Amino acid sequence: MLKAMKSGVFREIADAEKKRNKYVKSFELYSMLDSLVRRGEHVIVTGDQYGTTLISRDFSRKGRCDFYLSREGYMPAMSCMIGQKDSPLVPIMTKRIALINQAGLYEHWIKAYMPNSTSCTHPPTRIAVNTSFSVHNVWGMYVVLFGGHAISLLVLGLELVSVTLHQRMTS
């Protein structure tokens, strides 16, 4: 789909294939979770249903949420039924499929098929970090603190020099 686009964001993504994107077959994605994504160097862009399947399988295996789906989607998930042109079955089946979706049966079947499908759907709104404080963990705060002190001392010195020069010039 990305390669078929003529312009826009999806075309730019397709053009980045030579530099940054790596297209893999769907059966290779689960092995990519451990080899690339878990290290934090890559992300997987796939359909919502397949992403949910990958994450729920990993949660079932590991017992913890190492991955989350993004809150935003990049294109609608498409499912369809193909029927012969002008077939009287197509409108009937379309109505039945719409009723199944509206009743929530599709989501119910997904949850029954993948029991952990909603365990790691989206990241929590607050993430607690349970690490002890050390200089390595908070070095940025020290840089800001001591950098601010250095700059304030420099400004104070410049003010004293400018006041002294101003007093000598006026007297």
Side-chain angles (χ1 to χ4, degrees):
M1 187 212 86
L2 295 174
K3 292 179 182 179
M5 293 293 143
K6 302 289 185 227
S7 64
V9 175
F10 291 140
R11 180 73 245 167
E12 292 175 19
I13 293 171
D15 291 341
E17 177 183 5
K18 297 169 191 76
K19 300 177 222 164
R20 300 173 58 183
N21 296 347
K22 180 178 183 176
Y23 291 96
V24 296
K25 294 180 174 45
S26 60
F27 63 85
E28 297 174 329
L29 286 177
Y30 193 70
S31 65
M32 295 289 169
L33 282 179
D34 284 329
S35 62
L36 296 175
V37 180
R38 197 175 303 278
R39 291 187 302 192
E41 300 171 359
H42 293 78
V43 298
I44 292 178
V45 178
T46 185
D48 186 43
Q49 295 166 345
Y50 198 72
T52 302
T53 304
L54 286 172
I55 291 172
S56 67
R57 282 182 58 196
D58 187 69
F59 180 78
S60 296
R61 190 179 69 161
K62 300 274 185 177
R64 65 181 187 272
C65 292
D66 290 337
F67 307 106
Y68 293 106
L69 294 176
S70 65
R71 293 189 189 278
E72 297 83 20
Y74 68 97
M75 65 182 190
M78 293 181 273
S79 298
C80 68
M81 178 194 74
I82 299 174
Q84 188 176 8
K85 187 176 180 179
D86 298 327
S87 170
L89 292 175
V90 172
I92 295 168
M93 292 303 293
T94 301
K95 183 178 178 182
R96 299 300 187 270
I97 291 171
L99 289 173
I100 286 171
N101 282 332
Q102 290 169 359
L105 283 175
Y106 181 75
E107 285 81 17
H108 175 73
W109 292 333
I110 292 291
K111 288 178 185 174
Y113 174 68
M114 295 180 292
N116 295 323
S117 64
T118 58
S119 298
C120 303
T121 307
H122 299 293
T125 54
R126 286 189 287 171
I127 299 175
V129 179
N130 296 326
T131 59
S132 59
F133 284 114
S134 69
V135 175
H136 179 66
N137 291 344
V138 293
W139 67 271
M141 289 188 292
Y142 288 118
V143 168
V144 170
L145 176 69
F146 293 124
H149 283 301
I151 290 172
S152 64
L153 284 174
L154 179 66
V155 169
L156 177 65
L158 289 174
E159 284 182 12
L160 293 175
V161 168
S162 70
V163 166
T164 306
L165 286 176
H166 187 269
Q167 288 175 352
R168 287 185 183 172
M169 300 282 274
T170 57
S171 53

